[in-house]
Amino acid sequence: MESGSIPVGDLSGGVDVQATLESGQSFRWHREDGRMYEADGPSGGSAWYATAVGGHTGGDPEVVRVRQRDGLLEWEATTDADRLLVERLRLDDDLPAIFDAIPDDELLSAATDAYRGLRVVNDPFFPCLVSFICSAQMRVERIHEMQAALAREFGETVVFDGETYHGFPTPERLARAGEDELRALGLGYRAPYVQRSAELVASGEATADDVRGLDYEDAREAMQAFVGVGDKVADCVLMFSLGYLEAVPLDTWIRTAIGEYYPHCERGSYAETSDAIRAEFGGEYAGYAQTYVFHYLRNRA
């Protein structure tokens, strides 16, 4: 076992691990006390969170456990986790500069004040893609359960500190899965979408490289080569995996925000409404604003 810590005070704007990992952006971490998503207004806790990383690429998974306590991000892992945590939790983002770029209106001020330290994640592409294909008409708790079930059924296992963890399955393994097998894990009508998108990635017919580096609107269009991916899912994967921090997925909570706070941004189509709310949220870091608003409104309900 390797272990270490990262001083929160060394991070520009700090971090709130609980808010980051329980805000519906990443579904491959689990809370080791079994209370994921239970808290009202989850923020500032000191629970351990764990994930198995790397299995989806065909290598042996590495396990990383992290908690926030006494001004430190403490970690235990099968590898040196400092760089991995910086990358996955975007710990090198300059939060004060990002907040300066986000408008200071009533809703955004309330959301950023409530969850200051929440960071947008940087997840691996294939697990992120599958997670958000599964997200249609689903609560975050159920999306998380689906990803855990896929990992248990089809992922590689690794034992760490006496516990068994499961890496996310490779595209090749999910491409071989039968639709009935996937439906049995609770994926429902999303099962063929996941299986077909896995085939596309496994064959190289459609990959993250086809999207990465494109201008934002071209990238959103390119994402829709994957089966089960429309505008909203595309925006989620662009933001939470490919670094398009201007993306604003129009989910239920953002549409609620538009209705209550920004009715002038409703333009009738996804593309035009997305453009309008992205400008309202400040443009370059509008995805950060979206993530804070999503977490704030979801936990206020």
Side-chain angles (χ1 to χ4, degrees), residues 137-173:
Q137 301 178 12
M138 279 292 164
R139 297 175 294 108
V140 295
E141 295 88 345
R142 283 288 295 121
I143 304 165
H144 188 265
E145 289 169 5
M146 288 181 195
Q147 306 322 299
L150 288 170
R152 284 195 306 271
E153 188 69 18
F154 301 116
E156 295 296 323
T157 61
V158 58
V159 176
F160 173 66
D161 196 25
E163 299 289 335
T164 300
Y165 297 85
H166 304 271
F168 199 75
T170 64
E172 292 78 10
R173 182 63 188 92

Side-chain angles (χ1 to χ4, degrees), residues 75-127:
W75 59 262
E76 300 173 348
T78 56
T79 186
D80 186 341
D82 265 21
R83 186 170 65 178
L84 186 145
L85 289 170
V86 169
E87 176 185 341
R88 294 294 173 84
L89 303 183
R90 298 189 65 103
L91 298 180
D92 51 0
D93 281 356
D94 185 347
L95 291 187
I98 289 170
F99 292 150
D100 285 345
I102 294 174
D104 189 24
D105 67 24
E106 176 189 356
L107 176 59
L108 291 171
S109 293
T112 54
D113 286 348
Y115 298 111
R116 198 161 291 269
L118 185 160
R119 289 174 178 264
V120 169
V121 299
N122 179 29
D123 272 355
F125 179 79
F126 184 63

Side-chain angles (χ1 to χ4, degrees), residues 113-291:
D113 286 348
Y115 298 111
R116 198 161 291 269
L118 185 160
R119 289 174 178 264
V120 169
V121 299
N122 179 29
D123 272 355
F125 179 79
F126 184 63
C128 184
L129 172 66
V130 172
S131 294
F132 284 102
I133 290 174
C134 291
S135 71
Q137 301 178 12
M138 279 292 164
R139 297 175 294 108
V140 295
E141 295 88 345
R142 283 288 295 121
I143 304 165
H144 188 265
E145 289 169 5
M146 288 181 195
Q147 306 322 299
L150 288 170
R152 284 195 306 271
E153 188 69 18
F154 301 116
E156 295 296 323
T157 61
V158 58
V159 176
F160 173 66
D161 196 25
E163 299 289 335
T164 300
Y165 297 85
H166 304 271
F168 199 75
T170 64
E172 292 78 10
R173 182 63 188 92
L174 282 188
R176 295 196 306 271
E179 182 178 331
D180 288 344
E181 291 180 277
L182 297 175
R183 286 182 180 273
L185 298 179
L187 272 64
Y189 71 85
R190 305 158 196 83
Y193 303 159
V194 168
Q195 194 272 339
R196 179 61 184 134
S197 286
E199 286 182 345
L200 292 173
V201 176
S203 68
E205 186 176 345
T207 71
D209 290 339
D210 300 329
V211 181
R212 190 179 284 113
L214 296 176
D215 290 342
Y216 163 65
E217 291 186 357
D218 292 337
R220 186 168 67 191
E221 182 177 351
M223 276 298 309
Q224 295 179 57
F226 299 96
V227 181
V229 176
D231 287 324
K232 193 209 81 167
V233 170
D235 273 337
C236 290
V237 179
L238 289 176
M239 176 161 53
F240 300 131
S241 178
L242 297 179
Y244 287 81
L245 297 182
E246 68 268 44
V248 179
L250 298 185
D251 53 56
T252 298
W253 295 111
I254 298 306
R255 290 193 178 277
T256 297
I258 291 171
E260 293 183 8
Y261 296 90
Y262 314 105
H264 55 283
C265 290
E266 178 54 63
R267 303 294 171 85
S269 72
Y270 186 101
E272 292 183 3
T273 302
S274 177
D275 286 346
I277 193 64
R278 190 164 63 252
E280 191 76 26
F281 281 176
E284 182 179 5
Y285 297 112
Y288 252 100
Q290 185 272 354
T291 304

